[in-house]
Amino acid sequence: MEKRYYQREIETMPYEQMRALQSERLCKQVRHVWDNVPFYRAKMEEKGLTPDDIKSVDDLHKLPFICKDDLRDQYPYGLLAKPLSDCVRIQSTSGTTGRRVVAFYTQNDVNLWEDCCARAITAVGGTNEDVCQVAYGYGLFTGGPGLNGGSHKVGCLTLPMSSGNTERQIQFMMDLGATILCCTPSYAAYIGEALKEMGYKPEDNKLKAGIFGAEPWTNEMRRDIEKSLGIKAYDIYGLTETTGPGVSFECEEQTGMHVNEDHFIPEIIDPDTGEVLPEGEKGELVFTSITKEAFPLLRYRTRDICVLSRKKCSCGRTLIKMAKPMGRSDDMLIIRGVNVFPSQIETVLLKEGYSPNYQIVVDRVNNTDTFDVNVEMTPEMFSDTVKGTQAAEAKLVNAMLNMLGIRPSVHLVAPKSITRSEGKAVRVVDKRKLHD
């Protein structure tokens, strides 16, 4: 594949030059949050810092961390660094106990985010000759809007399909000759199966590449998708908190994702001590947004465990690479692209009058996540009729769907039937093989 870049000068910028650019932007950003976000100013004052103490990227480690709890505590406007009149959009992700994380964007924030997604599309070979089918969810979820904007920037004909309605997805894909597919890996696998069931062979579609993210997937799953759709499958990474997809993206080498370092400074820390680890060490990924105006996050702990590498890449990009996340330093599960915390399930159960003895069982069947919640009944409920039990299960399914935005299968089980270790019910059984 011919080497193509969306913003060549930045994507191939020499390391020292990138450091200088990052330092300049970091200092400006620190001053911006100090002046406009009382929460940050208080956090810095607690550590005895002022903006004058941050002179370059070398001083980044002095700044305090922030985490998802801070974002929830400051909901909705506590971290806003621009007047609301300057903001044109929000995107949102679910929180652990229903309190959401809301991220704000100025028009400039949207433009830069779309540039990041445009780099990802160009890296997989996208040009203005392509037809880009965006089958990520639209709305508050960042996947659809991010890739949609990136596709426009590249000049692709954009099919803003959103997720679901597979029959229509396939009709448009075949009739309009989609060449790039953007969606979750599990949905890509599902589309591949649906095409096969409809009698299509991989060579019958015009797809050449797919950009798949928002949930963990293995190289084995990548190979299955590549085979079923006749494409090359690329990874993309992002967080609503930092901007959305496009924080990092894979190139044709497919050996990790290039971080858009002119917008996000990555660090790897020891999750227990907070100490910054050297390149190549495995630890928790931390991001600092250095160009975000409305909702800038400094040293945001992602809880994703991974490795950073500056090893030279054959694609010519000099942007540092991050490996696929290898797990989490907290108890969050990603199920069908949705963040699920056990504490959310617990909140629902307590509210509905159940004891918090439950077990989440996640598996992956035919490349799609299954999501079961076993809940212990109270002794009074145990004597209920089958009909009564089914009604209680249905009520819990709806309550969890409202809390999580994803529908589990709920099974009410006999009291004390869930395995316990050290007296505690084993909360999560994840049978998916998410790492090779």
Side-chain angles (χ1 to χ4, degrees), residues 113-298:
W113 175 25
E114 290 177 349
D115 283 344
C116 289
C117 290
R119 290 179 194 175
I121 292 168
T122 308
V124 308
T127 70
N128 59 1
E129 301 287 323
D130 282 289
V131 178
C132 185
Q133 182 157 338
V134 183
Y136 282 111
Y138 279 66
L140 291 171
F141 178 64
T142 53
L147 271 305
N148 189 89
S151 173
H152 278 237
K153 286 259 177 119
V154 173
C156 305
L157 174 64
T158 309
L159 311 184
M161 302 295 295
S162 197
S163 53
N165 202 333
T166 307
E167 212 170 290
R168 188 177 63 191
Q169 298 275 3
I170 288 171
Q171 185 193 341
F172 275 60
M173 178 188 288
M174 303 307 283
D175 293 351
L176 293 165
T179 54
I180 297 171
L181 175 64
C182 306
C183 61
T184 61
S186 52
Y187 193 49
Y190 184 73
I191 289 174
E193 282 166 27
L195 281 165
K196 191 178 176 182
E197 278 166 21
M198 290 167 80
Y200 290 112
K201 295 188 186 73
E203 58 272 22
D204 293 338
N205 70 63
K206 289 203 165 67
L207 291 173
K208 62 180 185 185
I211 297 176
F212 308 130
E215 64 187 12
W217 53 308
T218 59
N219 276 324
E220 185 188 8
M221 189 169 176
R222 185 205 299 264
R223 288 188 289 274
D224 286 349
I225 293 169
E226 289 186 333
K227 203 170 150 190
S228 73
L229 291 173
I231 59 169
K232 274 197 85 168
Y234 298 90
D235 212 342
I236 191 166
Y237 176 90
L239 304 143
T240 303
E241 298 91 319
T242 50
T243 190
V247 170
S248 65
F249 61 92
E250 252 183 344
C251 62
E252 69 256 29
E253 200 177 271
Q254 294 177 304
T255 55
M257 292 171 274
H258 290 286
V259 177
N260 282 312
E261 290 183 274
D262 53 323
H263 301 298
F264 312 100
I265 304 176
E267 300 170 273
I268 295 289
I269 63 162
D270 179 316
D272 299 323
T273 66
E275 178 204 350
V276 180
L277 300 175
E279 181 201 323
E281 295 263 322
K282 187 163 87 170
E284 183 185 335
L285 183 60
V286 171
F287 276 116
T288 295
S289 312
I290 49 175
T291 53
K292 196 104 190 274
E293 296 176 337
F295 196 73
L297 296 188
L298 303 187

